[in-house]
Amino acid sequence: MEVFKFKYFDLINGENIMKPSTDSVILGAWASNMDYTRILDLGCGSGILSLMLAQQNQNCEVFGIDINLDAVELSNVNFINTGFVNSFNFIHTDFTGSSLPELFFDLIISNPPYFIEDLPSQLQSKNLQRHFTASKISLLASNVANRLSKDGLFLIVMPIGLESLWTTELIMKGLYPVEYLKIKHSEKSDTSLVCVAYSRFSSFVNFAELVILNEKGDYSEAYKELTQNFIL
């Protein structure tokens, strides 16, 4: 077990659960500047996105799902340890599972597996967390569209090369990109990740960029400002 310390909560992470990453921190911080009443964290892992959003939305209901039972159990422990007053429910299921209540969500958020039909990991539990197929993306897009409220948002972070696949599938399901946050490790590096917000309403698309490190190798002022409510 490892413990990752944030400003207002500690996050315990298990051996066979993907570690909380900078991309999750960026996605959670990017999503936290709006108010939500009910959120769904897809592939919740140890609960980092759920905890970040609950911290900033103390009245919202929090639901998280994961196919890794250890992750679900640890998310429940982490949430209880925060003392946050939100109603929460972490469920061991996939997005098609009947265990998820028939509810609509005004935010669905995910840091999904990155590798499309890539070589499998040696550990089966991490293999399940890291690897996706194009058909699963299509199924996930359908389920997001079915569970998102009329005015809801779907927020996701992914490698820069995958956003066209996700966007194509989501547009076919009636969800349109409305905001992009392109992420670079440093000013001289190429864009490696992108956070995208999707809505049922097609409108003007806003583009922004975030550089994580400055020329000295320290966190940039933009990164520190974005994550100031979470990072010590």
Side-chain angles (χ1 to χ4, degrees):
M1 294 282 187
E2 291 182 86
V3 178
F4 296 85
K5 292 189 173 293
F6 292 83
K7 187 171 286 188
Y8 296 109
F9 60 84
D10 291 345
L11 189 79
I12 303 170
N13 201 73
E15 180 179 352
N16 292 329
I17 302 170
M18 298 299 289
K19 291 182 180 180
S21 57
T22 300
D23 42 330
S24 285
V25 172
I26 291 172
L27 177 63
W30 190 58
S32 69
N33 61 356
M34 290 180 283
D35 294 328
Y36 310 102
T37 57
R38 184 182 294 130
I39 70 169
L40 175 62
D41 182 358
L42 297 181
C44 59
S46 53
I48 181 172
L49 292 174
S50 295
L51 294 181
M52 293 176 72
L53 290 164
Q55 175 190 305
Q56 299 300 104
N57 293 264
Q58 295 267 322
N59 294 320
C60 75
E61 295 179 83
V62 178
F63 290 80
I65 61 174
D66 205 294
I67 57 176
N68 183 339
L69 179 58
D70 291 340
V72 170
E73 292 175 344
L74 200 52
S75 289
N76 277 299
V77 170
N78 281 329
F79 210 103
I80 291 169
N81 288 344
T82 66
F84 293 161
V85 298
N86 309 69
S87 169
F88 67 93
N89 191 1
F90 293 98
I91 304 166
H92 180 222
T93 186
D94 62 18
F95 204 10
T96 62
S98 59
S99 301
L100 183 64
E102 291 291 332
L103 298 170
F104 293 102
F105 301 88
D106 55 353
L107 174 66
I108 300 177
I109 191 167
S110 185
N111 181 359
Y114 281 174
F115 305 105
I116 304 298
E117 297 175 345
D118 205 343
L119 294 175
S121 307
Q122 290 183 349
L123 288 175
Q124 177 65 13
S125 58
K126 287 194 175 181
N127 180 39
L128 290 171
Q129 295 168 63
R130 288 168 59 91
H131 298 275
F132 240 25
T133 64
S135 61
K136 287 183 180 178
I137 290 176
S138 179
L139 180 59
L140 178 61
S142 294
N143 289 326
V144 167
N146 289 337
R147 290 302 190 101
L148 197 64
S149 67
K150 178 183 176 182
D151 298 316
L153 290 173
F154 174 48
L155 270 58
I156 184 172
V157 61
M158 56 191 139
I160 196 69
L162 291 183
E163 82 279 6
S164 59
L165 176 58
W166 281 95
T167 297
T168 298
E169 291 293 342
L170 287 162
I171 287 176
M172 288 193 295
K173 309 303 187 294
L175 297 176
Y176 305 93
V178 293
E179 190 166 0
Y180 286 81
L181 178 64
K182 295 184 176 182
I183 303 165
K184 298 170 65 173
H185 186 70
S186 67
E187 193 64 58
K188 294 182 179 180
S189 64
D190 295 330
T191 301
S192 57
L193 295 169
V194 61
C195 296
V196 189
Y198 296 89
S199 165
R200 295 194 185 278
F201 304 100
S202 178
S203 63
F204 175 80
V205 181
N206 182 55
F207 291 89
E209 183 178 85
L210 175 69
V211 178
I212 298 174
L213 301 179
N214 61 26
E215 63 277 3
K216 295 181 180 179
D218 301 321
Y219 285 126
S220 68
E221 290 302 315
Y223 177 82
K224 288 190 287 187
E225 181 179 357
L226 177 67
T227 62
Q228 63 183 328
N229 290 325
F230 307 101
I231 301 299
L232 292 170

